[in-house]
Amino acid sequence: AQSVAQPEDQVNVAEGNPLTVKCTYSVSGNPYLFWYVQYPNRGLQFLLKYITGDNLVKGSYGFEAEFNKSQTSFHLKKPSALVSDSALYFCAVRDSPYNTDKLIFGTGTRLQVFP
Amino acid sequence: NAGVTQTPKFQVLKTGQSMTLQCAQDMNHNSMYWYRQDPGMGLRLIYYSASEGTTDKGEVPNGYNVSRLNKREFSLRLESAAPSQTSVYFCASSEAPGGWHQPQHFGDGTRLSIL
């Protein structure tokens, strides 16, 4: 069965420092991986996805993610954090190796960026 | 561009009452979804509709029914509300088919409390 894990409930980082939010996955077949962000009292917003190709995927708001097949990881990164990046981040994987657009979401990681 | 619109935004019910959560999207998407979000559990899929006239159960369908009224609208009904259904409910849509990797677009949620 497909699954994702976000091992950290919260990540704290100082503004201007690089940030990493971790995600590991378990899939049958090719992994289709996504990152979403949720701001308070809002729905999830799509940040980026990995389907195939380059292992470094660039997305919205200066975020990028590194796909590592050997470590089955898809960590979200940003070179310089902003206070406005503080939010809840979700990693997700396609639900099945077959044709489907259903996703399985991780439990979320709260990112707190301090001034 | 409204995207995905959910109504109501907030609702308080008594145990045993019924209600319907409404969702509409204006992006001409085929697939629509209902999720619930609970602390520490991420998003869990309640029901899914791949196209007008079709619905499928997700991970946590018990106590809920859905109706895909047309391509735009996908409603979620609680027939006899229970305190365990206190949650934040999100509707989402995606363009599939069109590649099985299209991102999902989310509404801003309905915050439901069952007393």
Side-chain angles (χ1 to χ4, degrees):
Chain A
Q2 321 288 80
S3 66
V4 289
Q6 294 182 245
E8 301 157 317
D9 290 336
Q10 179 153 334
V11 170
N12 299 317
V13 64
E15 188 173 33
N17 283 359
L19 69 88
T20 299
V21 182
K22 296 179 180 178
C23 173
T24 59
Y25 66 89
S26 174
V27 300
S28 302
N30 295 322
Y32 283 20
L33 296 159
F34 301 77
W35 275 103
Y36 287 80
V37 60
Q38 184 181 31
Y39 298 102
N41 300 314
R42 301 297 303 275
L44 278 66
Q45 296 177 31
F46 169 73
L47 277 179
L48 50 80
K49 64 183 178 183
Y50 173 82
I51 305 303
T52 186
D54 289 342
N55 290 340
L56 187 63
V57 179
K58 293 189 183 299
S60 306
Y61 312 122
F63 284 92
E64 57 191 24
E66 186 173 10
F67 173 71
N68 188 316
K69 188 173 183 178
S70 63
Q71 297 185 5
T72 61
S73 67
F74 188 56
H75 299 334
L76 182 70
K77 299 173 184 287
K78 188 174 183 182
S80 179
L82 299 172
V83 172
S84 57
D85 292 329
S86 298
L88 189 56
Y89 290 81
F90 289 95
C91 181
V93 65
R94 194 176 67 168
D95 186 24
S96 165
Y98 308 109
N99 289 340
T100 181
D101 52 346
K102 290 191 289 184
L103 298 176
I104 294 176
F105 287 87
T107 53
T109 298
R110 187 165 300 282
L111 174 67
Q112 190 73 46
V113 181
F114 294 96
Chain B
N1 187 0
V4 179
T5 302
Q6 292 184 236
T7 55
K9 295 188 185 305
F10 303 93
Q11 185 71 48
V12 178
L13 293 178
K14 294 180 179 179
T15 298
Q17 287 185 317
S18 63
M19 82 160 294
T20 299
L21 281 61
Q22 306 287 353
C23 174
Q25 52 92 7
D26 62 2
M27 295 171 284
N28 202 36
H29 286 169
N30 287 302
S31 296
M32 296 186 74
Y33 317 78
W34 275 105
Y35 295 92
R36 59 178 291 172
Q37 183 179 22
D38 302 292
M41 302 194 73
L43 272 75
R44 293 181 291 169
L45 183 65
I46 305 171
Y47 269 95
Y48 161 69
S49 172
S51 62
E52 182 180 351
T54 68
T55 61
D56 289 295
K57 294 178 181 179
E59 180 185 356
V60 288
N62 292 344
Y64 305 95
N65 286 302
V66 290
S67 178
R68 183 75 182 267
L69 305 169
N70 47 55
K71 192 171 185 179
R72 289 187 64 249
E73 298 171 291
F74 188 39
S75 61
L76 178 72
R77 183 162 178 83
L78 287 70
E79 290 291 352
S80 179
S84 61
Q85 295 177 305
T86 293
S87 187
V88 182
Y89 291 85
F90 288 98
C91 178
S93 69
S94 67
E95 199 172 346
W100 300 105
H101 52 78
Q102 299 303 320
Q104 295 183 12
H105 299 258
F106 286 78
D108 284 338
T110 295
R111 285 148 185 82
L112 183 61
S113 293
I114 316 293
L115 305 177

